[in-house]
Amino acid sequence: MRAPSSQDKQVWPPAPLLPWQDVGAAQPEEGRGESPSEPSGLSPRPVRKATDPRGHWLLLAVGLLLASGALVLNGYVTNVVGETHAAPPAAGPPSPELERVRRGGPMLNLTGSQVASVRLPAKTLALTFDDGPDPAWTPQVLDALKKHGAKATFFTVGSKIAQHPELTRRIVAEGHEIGNHTYAHADLSEVPGWRLGLELSLTQQALAGATGLHTTLARPPYSSTPAAVTGPQWESLKAVADRGYLLVLTDLDTKDWARPGSAQIVKAALPARGRGAIVMMHDAGGDRRQTVEAVDRVLGALTSQGYRGVTVTQALGMPSAHRQAEPVERFAGAVLNVAQRGSKAFTESLSWVLFAAGVLTLARLGFFAVLAWVHARRTRGGRRRRGRAPAWLAPPPVTVIVPAYNEAAGIQATIRSLVNTTYQGELEVLVVDDGSTDDTAALAAALAFDNVRVIRQHNGGKPSALNTGITHARHELLVMVDGDTVFEPATIGQLIRQLADPTVGAVSGNTKVGNRRGMIGRWQHIEYVIGFNLDRRAFELLDCMATVPGAIGAFRRSALIALGGVSTDTLAEDTDLTMALCRAGWRVVYEEKALAWTEAPTSLGQLWKQRYRWCYGTLQAMWKHRRAVLERAPFGRRCLGYLTLFQVVLPLLAPVVDLMAVYSAAVGDPLPVVAVWGGFVIVQALTGWYALRLDGERASALWVLPLQQFVYRQLMYLVVIQSVATAVLGVRLRWHTVRREGTFDASPLPRTPAGTPS
């Protein structure tokens, strides 16, 4: 790297104005001890302001709506929504109509003014099977019927028709009859009228979509013989009949669902003294092996007695219960069937994905906590992974670079913290004003410290300002610090001591939130300690440090020159630079004792801007260094694999996680949801307690952790969604600045408790 001559005065490397950079910055000024880095006549090239994409929010809303629909449909099918059970018999005397039903036959016609019921003729057997079709047992039942040349009536559940349309078509193709047994096996005596109608109509749609047919027969779930009809059931029977159905109860209820043994089922299914009978069995709902055996034995025994096995309508000499559905009804039914199968597949897949995500998250927390413990034990004794770092014979000279854009609120506090250091070596501080439109440069120069130089340049972005500082730096060892950050007196020395190891190319410091009094500040404080500093301990041991934060980091100038300086390709110049150093073979370590206090955003809007830039820039850096996964060194596979899984994929799944949690709590028992959520919070709290302990922070800060799951967590994954959409659509994000509050000029720094381990 050559220094700029008096003729060109250009910053190395040339910093093009990118679409994400701020435009219209102030021009460089001479005087007041400030060093211009660009000619005063150079004006920034105007660029068109990039706008963030918006259409993906509509797509996200539509996606969540479709996901909600799939969950609701699957929940309805599996009887999670509005689950019903058989009601106990109602007390009290029956009405005259109900009394006639109880004394009558199992076939009911309630469409007229009078209750009409009939019984089957002698030597006539109508086998009926409820709750199917089932892929395991229905084919076996059909095979047994075919063996004896018998026909039967299948009272099918609409959701199972939709799930197994091929079985429904086989039932019809082999000459059997279909009846309506509701869509989700709901007890019609316990549901409101709108759901009763929905249960019946959805079943008809599913049947039309599978076979092109409708049916005029119905049997309500949990019904049995006419004598067992209760008052509430009678009301539901009338409601079903009002929709044009013939009701089919039973003469002989085998109760095969209780699996009493095939012999007992056969005994219950045999009519006495040659009478005709409608027999109730089940071809789904559990293990039906006994039922299949009983069907074969019943038909064998009754055929020898002259019985004929027929459908219900054939037994009474009636026309078939099947009616041709209209084309529109067939199409609607086909759509319903596909939607139901899709909802089931979606829900099952999502359950496995969420299970895997939960396991990965817990495993990550546990694994990183163990690595942090190992790191703490090693550093406590002054040892690093590759042995004890050598000590400097004498404190080497250091240049501190402070890139600053509109940092008037805190620039003086930053400079004072750098100058008031306990570091004994020669110290140079370069404040690079990146075309600020406020008094940043003037305030920095007004301090008049002998070892502080102020350099002004046109606005070119933070990477350009850093490269200007690298160009003007007099020393090999560099420390980079943001203009809103202050150092502890010992911080520079703690950073530099790690660079005594010639294999170390960069050192990440320990960034802490200085303005942590509000809820947003407390949330960020927890995040910095757990999510940033705890992770960096693990990253050092795994040799996959992703980022040396711009707020505090130390570098070798020669290593940066070999890389061509700080790249302007991404918005996350710190992540980009760290990845480049690791790929070049340099070690990047973490020094937890090098403390830097930074001013965090104080509003959700400011936080959004900051994290949006961070996340988008990280995606850029990941794409730029994607070839690292093919390199022999494990850095690329570890670092990029971790970032892809935990900072991209899992956050993209987070909205569906919240959706399923809300849905499960709303329509089912909320206790499991609360228990899972509480378990994760407890694990996070334990990890957070250990991270705070390692960092010398008070564990009392953890009281905000449960609240962090609301608003803050959602904001973080929405940032990832926005960033991914911006990257996929090819929109170049402009630099988002965060408004400074001057935290460190207005109040003292937070202090960590004394005596805690570090």
Side-chain angles (χ1 to χ4, degrees):
M1 179 185 298
R2 69 175 179 87
S5 66
S6 58
Q7 285 79 19
D8 53 28
K9 295 184 180 178
Q10 294 295 313
V11 177
W12 181 94
L17 281 172
L18 300 178
W20 44 264
Q21 293 174 336
D22 294 311
V23 298
Q27 304 302 306
E29 298 178 5
E30 301 286 350
R32 293 182 295 181
E34 302 167 21
S35 302
S37 66
E38 294 185 3
S40 60
L42 181 62
S43 297
R45 182 171 67 253
V47 294
R48 180 172 58 87
K49 180 180 178 180
T51 57
D52 294 338
R54 298 296 180 194
H56 64 287
W57 293 121
L58 176 60
L59 294 178
L60 175 63
V62 171
L64 290 177
L65 184 62
L66 291 175
S68 301
L71 292 173
V72 170
L73 178 57
N74 189 72
Y76 188 90
V77 167
T78 55
N79 233 2
V80 173
V81 180
E83 184 175 358
T84 58
H85 304 279
S95 65
E97 290 180 324
L98 177 55
E99 189 63 34
R100 284 195 294 273
V101 167
R102 290 177 174 176
R103 294 195 304 266
M107 189 76 172
L108 301 177
N109 184 350
L110 307 181
T111 57
S113 58
Q114 297 293 327
V115 174
S117 65
V118 295
R119 300 181 186 276
L120 267 60
K123 299 288 185 175
T124 303
L125 182 70
L127 290 178
T128 62
F129 298 92
D130 292 3
D131 299 350
D134 182 272
W137 305 111
T138 301
Q140 297 185 46
V141 170
L142 290 172
D143 291 342
L145 293 170
K146 187 175 183 179
K147 174 182 176 182
H148 295 277
K151 306 300 177 184
T153 302
F154 290 79
F155 288 95
T156 51
V157 175
S159 60
K160 294 184 178 180
I161 294 175
Q163 197 65 39
H164 307 290
E166 72 289 346
L167 286 178
T168 311
R169 287 191 289 268
R170 179 183 171 185
I171 292 172
V172 174
E174 295 185 3
H176 305 290
E177 201 164 46
I178 298 288
N180 192 328
H181 200 50
T182 74
Y183 192 78
H185 204 267
D187 186 350
L188 298 183
S189 65
E190 290 189 342
V191 300
W194 66 266
R195 185 176 174 188
L196 183 147
L198 183 65
E199 289 282 331
L200 298 173
S201 64
L202 286 178
T203 304
Q204 293 282 27
Q205 288 186 37
L207 183 59
T211 66
L213 301 173
H214 285 321
T215 182
T216 59
L217 300 180
R219 173 182 284 170
Y222 309 109
S223 62
S224 181
T225 63
V229 175
T230 66
Q233 287 178 334
W234 166 241
E235 296 299 326
S236 65
L237 290 176
K238 290 191 293 183
V240 174
D242 289 342
R243 286 164 172 80
Y245 288 93
L246 294 175
L247 297 163
V248 183
L249 301 180
T250 187
D251 290 299
L252 302 174
D253 185 355
T254 64
K255 294 184 172 58
D256 60 334
W257 49 268
R259 295 195 290 276
S262 58
Q264 185 63 35
I265 297 173
V266 171
K267 181 180 178 181
L270 293 175
R273 296 184 296 276
R275 294 175 180 173
I278 296 177
V279 180
M280 179 187 293
M281 295 183 176
H282 297 80
D283 64 330
D287 187 345
R288 295 291 174 254
R289 186 177 294 104
Q290 296 177 4
T291 300
V292 173
E293 295 175 0
V295 169
D296 184 57
R297 292 172 59 181
V298 166
L299 288 174
L302 294 180
T303 300
S304 64
Q305 299 177 26
Y307 274 84
R308 59 192 182 99
V310 294
T311 66
V312 170
T313 56
Q314 288 173 340
L316 297 174
M318 298 171 56
S320 172
H322 295 161
R323 302 288 184 270
Q324 290 294 323
E326 297 293 332
V328 173
E329 295 170 330
R330 296 183 186 182
F331 176 77
V335 171
L336 173 65
N337 295 348
V338 171
Q340 184 192 301
R341 293 195 296 273
S343 69
K344 180 181 180 181
F346 172 78
T347 304
E348 291 178 349
S349 300
L350 192 59
S351 298
W352 283 108
V353 169
L354 297 183
F355 174 77
V359 170
L360 286 171
T361 301
L362 292 176
R364 171 193 168 276
L365 288 173
F367 183 54
F368 274 37
V370 171
L371 291 180
W373 175 78
V374 173
H375 182 276
R377 283 180 59 87
R378 291 184 177 182
T379 56
R380 223 173 268 144
R383 293 179 290 111
R384 289 288 172 178
R385 183 176 182 184
R386 299 180 184 176
R388 186 182 300 273
W392 293 104
L393 296 178
V398 176
T399 296
V400 180
I401 302 173
V402 186
Y405 175 77
N406 288 349
E407 300 285 0
I411 191 63
Q412 290 192 335
T414 298
I415 296 173
R416 288 192 184 98
S417 73
L418 298 173
V419 172
N420 296 327
T421 180
T422 58
Y423 184 64
Q424 298 300 310
E426 180 183 348
L427 183 67
E428 173 191 42
V429 178
L430 300 181
V431 179
V432 183
D433 180 67
D434 190 38
S436 298
T437 58
D438 61 8
D439 295 330
T440 298
L443 291 171
L447 293 174
F449 290 118
D450 293 338
N451 57 345
V452 176
R453 283 194 293 154
V454 179
I455 304 172
R456 303 199 70 190
Q457 69 172 37
H458 290 306
N459 177 250
K462 185 178 178 181
S464 173
L466 290 172
N467 285 325
T468 298
I470 295 171
T471 300
H472 289 269
R474 298 192 181 106
H475 307 306
E476 165 67 6
L477 302 185
L478 306 178
V479 173
M480 297 181 184
V481 54
D482 285 343
D484 62 340
T485 303
V486 299
F487 277 13
E488 293 279 359
T491 295
I492 295 177
Q494 297 289 358
L495 285 172
I496 297 305
R497 75 183 182 93
Q498 296 300 335
L499 291 173
D501 185 343
T503 67
V504 174
V507 183
S508 169
N510 187 346
T511 312
K512 292 181 173 292
V513 175
N515 51 334
R516 58 177 75 167
R517 293 184 179 179
M519 184 61 69
I520 296 177
R522 289 186 173 96
W523 281 338
Q524 291 176 89
H525 166 50
I526 294 294
E527 181 188 26
Y528 270 58
V529 175
I530 300 177
F532 294 169
N533 296 328
L534 186 67
D535 288 359
R536 287 193 176 95
R537 298 174 187 269
F539 290 154
E540 179 187 325
L541 297 183
L542 295 173
D543 282 336
C544 63
M545 190 76 70
T547 306
V548 173
I552 175 173
F555 302 86
R556 294 185 188 276
R557 185 171 181 269
S558 57
L560 301 185
I561 292 175
L563 295 175
V566 181
S567 173
T568 60
D569 294 339
T570 71
L571 289 182
E573 80 293 330
D574 46 6
T575 300
D576 188 358
L577 181 61
T578 306
M579 289 182 177
L581 285 169
C582 291
R583 293 182 67 187
W586 291 101
R587 289 183 62 213
V588 179
V589 300
Y590 172 65
E591 177 51 67
E592 66 274 15
K593 295 180 181 179
L595 301 182
W597 301 87
T598 189
E599 180 180 305
T602 56
S603 68
L604 292 178
Q606 294 294 311
L607 182 62
W608 173 275
K609 288 183 178 181
Q610 182 195 67
R611 298 310 172 86
Y612 185 16
R613 176 174 63 82
W614 285 6
C615 184
Y616 181 84
T618 300
L619 292 175
Q620 288 178 310
M622 292 169 62
W623 180 253
K624 176 180 177 180
H625 296 280
R626 63 191 182 278
R627 298 187 186 278
V629 298
L630 303 176
E631 297 170 353
R632 176 173 297 182
F635 165 77
R637 292 180 292 278
R638 293 176 182 175
C639 179
L640 297 183
Y642 173 86
L643 293 177
T644 300
L645 182 59
F646 289 102
Q647 295 195 20
V648 179
V649 175
L650 292 185
L652 289 178
L653 293 174
V656 185
V657 175
D658 287 353
L659 178 65
M660 286 199 69
V662 172
Y663 167 76
S664 300
V667 304
D669 184 2
L671 186 59
V673 178
V674 175
V676 171
W677 176 81
F680 270 96
V681 171
I682 290 173
V683 172
Q684 285 182 316
L686 291 174
T687 307
W689 169 82
Y690 183 62
L692 290 167
R693 183 175 181 274
L694 287 178
D695 247 22
E697 295 282 359
R698 297 183 185 278
S700 58
L702 289 173
W703 73 267
V704 301
L705 188 60
L707 301 177
Q708 198 177 38
Q709 306 302 311
F710 308 99
V711 180
Y712 190 83
R713 174 176 168 273
Q714 285 70 28
L715 182 71
M716 292 300 102
Y717 69 61
L718 289 176
V719 163
V720 176
I721 294 172
Q722 174 79 356
S723 301
V724 170
T726 304
V728 170
L729 295 175
V731 179
R732 300 204 66 183
L733 181 65
R734 65 189 297 269
W735 188 275
H736 288 159
T737 58
V738 178
R739 186 181 67 252
R740 303 304 181 192
E741 306 291 342
T743 298
F744 306 118
D745 279 342
S747 59
L749 296 176
R751 293 298 176 187
T752 55
T756 54
S758 59

